[in-house]
Amino acid sequence: MSEVLEGECLCGAIKYRVEAAPIVSGACYCGDCQKTSGGAEAHGMMFPAPAVTIVDGEPKTFGLTVDSGNVVFRQFCPDCGVHVISWNSAAPEYKAIKVGTLNDPSVYRSQGSLWVSSAQPWHRPDPDLPQHPKMPCVADLSATG
Ligand SMILES: [Zn+2]
Ligand SMILES: [Zn+2]
């Protein structure tokens, strides 16, 4: 996979670049991702935080305290509302990008499904990939792929 990835929000006001290979990639079925996606699972790729840079525009950042007590930060375009980048206060050394915002989303390869305990009956997690009831640690995820 290319070591440089680029993406943008729907209107193009926010552009980002990633200069690293993904640490882990997967689909999240948690209730919060269902809300931000509009219903579907959220496909994401996680990178070392310093490798993810905003190269154009000023995203807004929304922080939400989740059940663990950690804060999940989501960065989104203030114009079109599309969510591009997120990270967790428990692991700020990583940042995840939303796969659908990549200029070439075809580079994505899911390594597993997260939070399938929250998946809707009409969600169909990939039966050929590991399914995690909640959020496993990053080391576990990396080991799967
Ligand atoms: Zn936008
Ligand atoms: Zn989620």
Side-chain angles (χ1 to χ4, degrees), residues 123-134:
H123 280 150
R124 307 218 172 165
D126 190 326
D128 297 330
L129 294 174
Q131 297 188 15
H132 305 277
K134 294 192 171 183

Side-chain angles (χ1 to χ4, degrees), residues 1 6 11 16 18 20 28 48 50 52 54 60-61 63-64 68 76 117 126 138-141:
M1 182 180 296
E6 293 178 313
C11 75
Y16 66 87
V18 183
C28 184
V52 181
I54 301 288
K60 286 194 97 169
T61 302
L64 182 70
S68 61
F76 61 95
S117 60
D126 190 326
V138 171
D140 290 347
L141 286 175

